[in-house]
Every structure is written in structure tokens, then in C-alpha cells.
Amino acid sequence: MNTICPLCHAPDEKISPIEGRLQRRYLHCAACQLIFTHPDDLPQRDEERTRYEEHENTIEAPGYVKFLNQAIDPTLPLLSADMTGLDYGSGPGPTLSQLLARQGIRCLDYDPIFGPALPKGPFDFIFSTETFEHFHHPATEMDRIDQLLKPGGYLTIMTMFRPALEEFPKWFYPGDYTHVTFFNLETFEFICRNWNYQYLWDDGKRVIILKKLMIDWAMLQAMKY
């Protein structure tokens, strides 16, 4: 098969095929528990743009505002007016930054398709809502996010946590052809270990909050004993 995991770079022997909703090849990584779309079956950028433009994701859409508040509300107690953040993957109608502005908190926008360009940073916090499932190269994206976030900063991710392997073939979430990578809590634990983050909170279904550590994760573990 000669395919490596796009998150942990585990070799071919750790990768196995798994059935999914669409007529495309899905693969499961036993090392980090990521499920990902075969590289040859990934959508093209113009296909992604067309799909994203179908969404009614604006601040005038009450349903979308309520949806984003699932990520904003549990993060707000960690934020203050002297912080500056980034919405990483703000889409065609940036909304999260406007909702935070109503709380007196500054947040910039970035989207690789619709713009604006990636700000320089670093930032006190980063939101990435309904973005991780679109990553073709999640390790590269995580490296970029990590470089943009200050030590001690907060990363709030919203992406639906994938079910058990036996339930994945019938799961609705991959029915959107732009959804190509699927995470569970074990996958996020891997991210914490390998990018030096502390796991703060999750809602059990789609929102997780991480904190970037100021010291090495292995050192932190050693200090517990």
C-alpha cells in the first residue's frame, strides 16, 4: 500500500483499510487512531471551494451562531480583553471573530481559500472550528498552528469525534466529501504528547480545549513521579 499516516507518519504496517460512507478509500492508523482518506481520493481545491460556498455560515444565521457558541462558551472563561486570538479556518463568512468582539476580545481571521492571508502571530489563543476534518496534511497544519500559538496559549478545536471502528462505515459525518480526516480522543491525546499540549476539557462529542505547555511534555510526566 505504501501509505504513511498524515498525522503521526506511522509506516505502512500500521495502516489498514476501513469502509466508509462514500465511494472512496479510507485508512485507519493503529498508532494514533486517525482515520483518513487515501491521498489519491482527496478532493481538489475547487471542489472544496464549491462545497464551502454552499454553507450559510454568517453572523446573520442564528443556527450557525448557536453552533459556534459550543466552542466559544467553554473557552471564554480562559480569555481576557488583553488577549489577541486567531480563527484558523474562518471560511467565506468570518463569524467567530465577530462573536468574540462582542465580548470585548480581539480575534483575527485566516482562511486558506477565502482569505485573509495568515497573520504573523503569535497569538494568545486559536480557534479552529469545523476545520480539522478538512485537513489533507494534519501534521503540517498542526505544526503551523503550534508556531502561531504562544506558550501557555489555548487551542480550541471543533470537529466531531469519530465513533468506534465498527460504527464508522455508517457514520454520517464522512458523507460530506470535504471531510477527509477523522479524530477521536486517543488521536488528540497523541497530539498533546507530540506537540507538547495539556488536555484541558472536551464536551464528549465535538469540542476540545488544549493548552500549549511551556515545558517539555516528557519532563512534565516525569515530574508526576
Side-chain angles (χ1 to χ4, degrees):
M1 189 163 54
N2 296 321
T3 302
I4 65 170
C5 175
L7 178 64
C8 72
H9 306 305
D12 192 69
E13 56 265 26
K14 292 287 187 179
I15 309 299
S16 57
I18 183 171
E19 295 294 323
R21 282 286 292 268
L22 301 181
Q23 295 301 310
R24 59 169 42 157
R25 290 164 289 178
Y26 296 98
L27 301 167
H28 169 246
C29 176
C32 69
Q33 296 303 315
L34 185 76
I35 292 179
F36 59 99
T37 302
H38 190 284
D40 292 341
D41 295 342
L42 292 169
Q44 298 299 309
R45 181 54 61 91
D46 59 339
E47 295 177 306
E48 292 178 310
R49 174 186 285 272
T50 297
R51 174 59 179 148
Y52 301 153
E53 288 175 339
E54 293 174 356
H55 297 320
E56 294 184 13
N57 293 351
T58 68
I59 200 164
E60 287 79 28
Y64 184 55
V65 170
K66 182 179 179 180
F67 181 74
L68 288 180
N69 279 331
Q70 294 178 86
I72 293 173
D73 289 346
T75 309
L76 271 179
L78 304 172
L79 308 182
S80 59
D82 60 345
M83 291 181 171
T84 298
L86 177 68
D87 182 4
Y88 191 92
S90 52
T95 301
L96 186 142
S97 58
Q98 297 182 63
L99 295 174
L100 288 174
R102 292 176 177 178
Q103 302 292 330
I105 297 170
R106 184 170 182 256
C107 182
L108 305 183
D109 297 308
Y110 162 68
D111 194 272
I113 296 179
F114 300 99
L118 186 63
K120 194 169 183 179
F123 297 96
D124 299 292
F125 63 89
I126 294 176
F127 281 85
S128 189
T129 59
E130 294 298 296
T131 304
F132 268 58
E133 67 273 15
H134 300 286
F135 289 163
H136 293 196
H137 307 286
T140 301
E141 299 287 356
M142 191 62 210
D143 283 343
R144 187 175 293 120
I145 288 170
D146 184 60
Q147 291 167 6
L148 289 165
L149 189 61
K150 293 178 182 178
Y154 300 101
L155 171 59
T156 298
I157 300 164
M158 176 187 278
T159 185
M160 185 163 277
F161 307 153
R162 72 159 179 83
L165 295 180
E166 61 271 18
E167 298 172 11
F168 184 79
K170 296 182 179 180
W171 190 35
F172 78 95
Y173 205 54
D176 184 327
Y177 63 86
T178 65
H179 293 180
V180 297
T181 46
F182 309 96
F183 304 72
N184 68 4
L185 295 183
E186 289 182 61
T187 316
F188 286 115
E189 288 169 359
F190 169 84
I191 288 173
C192 287
R193 291 193 301 272
N194 284 269
W195 276 271
N196 201 31
Y197 282 73
Q198 179 184 358
Y199 194 117
L200 292 184
W201 178 87
D202 71 78
D203 68 352
K205 56 182 181 178
R206 72 187 326 142
V207 180
I208 183 169
I209 302 175
L210 309 179
K211 181 177 182 178
K212 183 174 180 177
L213 295 174
M214 297 186 184
I215 62 174
D216 182 76
W217 189 90
M219 185 185 300
L220 182 68
Q221 291 298 102
M223 290 169 60
K224 294 181 178 179
Y225 301 99

